[in-house]
Amino acid sequence: LVSINLHNILSTRPTMPIITLLSSVYQQVAPLFPPGLATSIAAAFIGDGKYLKAYRHEFIGALLMIGFTFTPGKWIGQDALAVAWTAHACGVIAADKIGGGPHVNPAVTVSMYALGKCSYTEAFVRVMGAMGGGLVAFPFYKMVADQFGLTPLGGPEFDPTDDDEGIKAAVSESVAVVLLMILIYTVNWELNFGKYHYWIKQSLTAVGIRYIIETFPRAGPAINPMLATTWYIFAKNAYPDHLGHYFTYWIAPFAAAIFASFLYVVYAGGTLFGKSVPFGPIKGHTAATESKKKK
């Protein structure tokens, strides 16, 4: 019996450091795999991986966007508003350039789908990619903050149990999304800055986003369903359980994005969900009128 116990002790000793090491690795890595990440990754391979590139762009873009745009005011320019604004603008440009031009915003993706710029499947994969990037970003940057003694990043939130606050937050997010979409349509499709088009339009987009954030703070602000929900999952380690969250951060922005898409079709022409609208296009009518006047 003594020999058997001695054998068991000697045989288990070499495995103890391995178990300790694996436990330590798990504790470090586990926070990077929050609820929902597996579902997000699975969506990347829909359609035999046809939209894997789009998923990758959205995932990386969201990861970079949160890092570049949430750190100003926290890690950069804490006491200098101009520095924080400049860092935020540079972050918007860098996230877009490095990420490959992603939407990184489900509301923007819904608008692109409504306008026929992408298929339903691609839109779904893009949304899941952005969600995946957001789910990884918040715990990752917390690890960075803890490691270097930096101020932890925050995220958009409000009290969804307060109906009055919820309505105001939803209205705020809706107006902000409409303005964001009009900004995107204008600088990307209606203006041409020649040789430096990309850099100028991205700079204007960055400044516009910062202005919208400062002007419509009621719901955090998020102006992006992905940011609100991935932050909640990170902060609470659970999915949002109140309908107010989904109404304010998903339903209202999606409705606003579709409304903005409708306005753009009325102005520039095209279709909304593959259908013509009974108004416009104003742009074509104006051009034709000016041409007749010249004659």
Side-chain angles (χ1 to χ4, degrees):
L1 180 62
V2 173
S3 63
I4 293 174
N5 288 338
L6 181 60
H7 177 268
N8 289 338
I9 293 172
L10 292 175
S11 62
T12 57
R13 275 183 177 176
T15 65
M16 292 304 294
I18 297 176
I19 295 174
T20 302
L21 176 62
L22 291 176
S23 176
S24 177
V25 170
Y26 174 79
Q27 291 178 19
Q28 293 295 321
V29 174
L32 294 177
F33 292 88
L37 184 59
T39 305
S40 167
I41 295 174
F45 302 95
I46 288 176
D48 295 325
K50 180 180 179 180
Y51 302 107
L52 182 59
K53 183 177 180 180
Y55 178 92
R56 185 171 66 250
H57 285 173
E58 296 296 330
F59 188 100
I60 296 173
L63 183 65
L64 294 174
M65 183 267 287
I66 291 173
F68 285 141
T69 62
F70 275 57
T71 52
K74 295 283 188 179
W75 299 357
I76 305 170
Q78 297 93 325
D79 302 316
L81 184 61
V83 173
W85 273 58
T86 302
H88 182 273
C90 292
V92 170
I93 298 172
D96 181 82
K97 190 69 174 177
I98 299 172
H103 299 165
V104 295
N105 187 331
V108 174
T109 301
V110 164
S111 177
M112 295 301 108
Y113 169 63
L115 293 172
K117 303 297 182 181
C118 65
S119 67
Y120 179 86
T121 304
E122 180 182 347
F124 177 78
V125 172
R126 285 186 176 276
V127 170
M128 295 302 284
M131 290 296 293
L135 288 170
V136 170
F138 285 114
F140 173 76
Y141 291 117
K142 182 182 185 302
M143 290 174 57
V144 174
D146 292 344
Q147 181 67 31
F148 295 99
L150 300 170
T151 304
L153 302 183
E157 55 187 22
F158 74 103
D159 182 8
T161 62
D162 186 330
D163 291 341
D164 183 60
E165 183 178 348
I167 292 173
K168 291 178 180 178
V171 171
S172 177
E173 287 290 287
S174 298
V175 175
V177 168
V178 170
L179 293 177
L180 172 64
M181 296 314 309
I182 291 174
L183 172 66
I184 290 173
Y185 304 150
T186 302
V187 300
N188 284 277
W189 300 338
E190 297 302 318
L191 299 178
N192 189 332
F193 301 105
K195 181 179 178 180
Y196 301 102
H197 176 74
Y198 176 81
W199 300 105
I200 295 174
K201 65 107 172 175
Q202 282 304 117
S203 298
L204 291 175
T205 301
V207 172
I209 290 174
R210 189 69 189 187
Y211 176 78
I212 293 171
I213 288 173
E214 298 290 342
T215 307
F216 300 93
R218 177 69 69 171
I223 321 174
N224 186 331
M226 175 272 291
L227 291 177
T229 300
T230 56
W231 166 254
Y232 186 100
I233 292 172
F234 164 71
K236 309 291 186 182
N237 195 34
Y239 292 113
D241 57 0
H242 196 284
L243 290 177
H245 174 96
Y246 297 102
F247 178 79
T248 296
Y249 288 127
W250 287 86
I251 297 175
F254 278 12
I258 294 170
F259 176 68
S261 301
F262 169 77
L263 293 180
Y264 185 73
V265 170
V266 171
Y267 169 73
T271 60
L272 186 71
F273 295 112
K275 304 293 183 180
S276 300
V277 299
F279 312 103
I282 296 172
K283 183 180 179 181
H285 178 73
T286 302
T289 302
E290 290 179 352
S291 177
K292 287 181 180 179
K293 287 182 179 179
K294 289 180 180 180
K295 290 180 181 180

